[in-house]
Amino acid sequence: MRKSKGKVKYKLHKAALCLCLTLLLFHSFGVGCRAAQATGDELTDGRIDGILDRFGSLVSDELGEDVSAEGISERLGIKRILEQTINAFMGKGSEVSAFLLTLLGMALILSLVSQLQGELGGAVLGSVSVIVSYVLFDRMSFLIGEAQESLSGISSFFGSVIPVALSVNSLGVTPTTASTQALGMGITLSAYSFIGEEVLAAFVGVLFVLSAASSIDPMFSRLSKSVRNILLFITGILTALIGATFSLQNTISASADSALVRSARYAISSSIPIVGSSVSGALGIAASGVSYARGIVGGGAIAVIISLMIAPLITILIYRLSVRAGILFGELSSNESFTRILAPFSDALDALLAVYSLTSVIYIVELAVFLKGGVGLA
Amino acid sequence: MNDWLRVIGCALISALLGVLLKELGFAGSRMILLLGTVGAIGFVAVCVGEVMEGIVGLSSENAEYVRVILKMVGISYVAGVCSDICTDLGQTSLAGAISSVGRVEIMILSLPYVKRIIEEGVKLL
């Protein structure tokens, strides 16, 4: 009997100890989970606020004025574009009006000179064509510098957005994916700032010089056409390559993150029945906060880049339209020599426009990929 | 009287005098024609010069280029007229030389711009 009583006592003690240990374990698990949830939320909120503050100061440094939603939309609205266009025609210096009048004057002079007969007439026409070409080059070459300066500003802003984007990404996706996307953005920045500002701009410069030289010898005109074709070929290949890289990068990142986060949510909610659902819910809330930050940073950065690129783009477009108007005037007045001088310049402006818009658009597309690159929590 | 009527009058009088003196067997009749031509061109050049200065003044930014272009046109006219006079006088080789000098002078005027275009090209390389 004494032996059986002792055994029962021993079993009771063992059961009580097990119960205590279990309770202790459950208690520790519960406290741990709640503590982790509270700390995670606070940390995420604090970090998002910090990132958005950092981005706000970055944008205000770049634009130097109002950075509210109204301020940015005002910079991109049709009113702003019209203002830029009117300023180009009638603003300070009236550059485009002066350029149009210069074109008209040159057309009249060439028309008069082409009336001269004989060998001396031909010599005068050739020499005047050289001067007219140089004048046109002199008036338009600043566009290359302006486009380069604008691209440099855009790439510098894009470079300062990368760390902010990395911070946002590190909240929402795995560190590997975040750093992969940041690396991708860095590669885009270094590759396109080099290709756009150095290589393609130099090609466009050569194209302008060849356009000016085409009045000396028609051979330069053919050379100018070949350079233009090469430039457009390189631009086309780069567009295709970058487009393919973006779509691949986006697909891989999105699918990897979605799978990872879904499996994490499933594991948490199924392994801890009571508190698990709240943890996985908190993960969803955190992700929506990250999406909010991602939207503000990505959308804001795109708006700033468009705002930076719009003024030079309008200037180049207006100059191109002026040159086309000059060609039309030459054709209508049967002034072949004037049309022959202007045609290579029109091609050069086309190439500049293509290079400038492509390089700017690449940055915008990269930011759009970042903007869309959510973790697929839904 | 209008300036252009004066020029035409001078030219006609010198032409009539030249023909008359030639008929009379005067050896220097060609010189009369030459003087008439040079006088008429000189008079036109003075009148046109004022108008051209006005055109140059219209465009202060492009004044340098317009001045050079007008100079080229002027050289071509002067060289052309001189060459024609030499041909009329039977001096064809001199006429050719004047024409060549005119072309060279026009080319020299355009050379600085060719040089500038080349310099811009070198800058980009």
Side-chain angles (χ1 to χ4, degrees), chain A residues 242-322:
Chain A
I242 295 286
T245 316
F246 281 161
S247 55
L248 202 67
Q249 183 189 338
N250 195 27
T251 311
I252 291 169
S253 305
S255 60
D257 284 329
S258 291
L260 203 72
V261 174
R262 282 206 180 99
S263 54
R265 275 182 71 175
Y266 176 75
I268 291 167
S269 56
S270 58
S271 60
I272 314 168
I274 304 160
V275 288
S277 60
S278 66
V279 171
S280 61
L283 198 60
I285 290 162
S288 68
V290 172
S291 298
Y292 171 69
R294 189 191 291 276
I296 287 180
V297 172
I302 288 175
V304 171
I305 287 181
I306 292 174
S307 163
L308 288 174
M309 75 176 274
I310 215 156
L313 191 70
I314 288 173
T315 312
I316 297 170
L317 269 172
I318 289 173
Y319 269 83
R320 190 185 170 278
L321 281 176
S322 306

Side-chain angles (χ1 to χ4, degrees), chain A residues 93 98 102 106 109 113 116 119-121 123-124 127-128 130-135 137-139 141 144 201-202 204-206 209 212-213 215-216, chain B residues 59 61-62 65-66 68-69 72-73 75-77 79-80 83 98-103 106-107 109-110 113-114 116-118 120-122 124-125:
Chain A
T102 306
M106 295 295 170
I109 285 173
V113 168
L116 293 172
E119 285 179 6
L120 280 164
V124 174
S127 301
V128 171
V130 170
I131 295 176
V132 168
S133 292
Y134 178 72
V135 172
F137 175 78
D138 195 39
R139 294 280 177 277
S141 57
I144 304 171
V204 175
V206 169
V209 173
S215 59
I216 301 169
Chain B
S59 167
E61 256 186 63
N62 302 315
Y65 310 114
V66 175
V68 172
I69 290 171
M72 282 177 178
V73 174
I75 288 169
S76 83
Y77 271 109
S83 175
I98 287 171
S99 187
S100 300
V101 167
R103 280 205 302 273
I106 288 165
M107 197 184 75
L109 280 176
S110 69
Y113 299 96
V114 175
R116 283 188 204 177
I117 290 172
I118 293 167
E120 293 292 336
V122 170
L124 289 165
L125 294 174

Side-chain angles (χ1 to χ4, degrees), chain A residues 328-347:
Chain A
L328 193 68
F329 180 75
E331 280 170 358
L332 287 175
S333 58
S334 306
N335 194 346
E336 277 177 26
S337 44
F338 187 59
T339 311
R340 209 174 48 243
I341 291 170
L342 279 184
F345 281 104
S346 173
D347 289 347

Side-chain angles (χ1 to χ4, degrees), chain A residues 5-52:
Chain A
K5 261 187 182 178
K7 266 184 186 177
V8 169
K9 230 178 188 180
Y10 173 72
K11 274 182 183 173
L12 274 171
H13 281 156
K14 206 176 167 182
L17 192 65
C18 281
L19 187 70
C20 285
L21 275 171
T22 316
L23 279 171
L24 192 68
L25 273 172
F26 266 118
H27 181 70
S28 353
F29 263 124
V31 169
C33 284
R34 273 197 291 274
Q37 181 189 344
T39 314
D41 279 352
E42 278 164 14
L43 266 176
T44 307
D45 287 348
R47 283 176 73 182
I48 286 174
D49 287 345
I51 288 165
L52 293 181

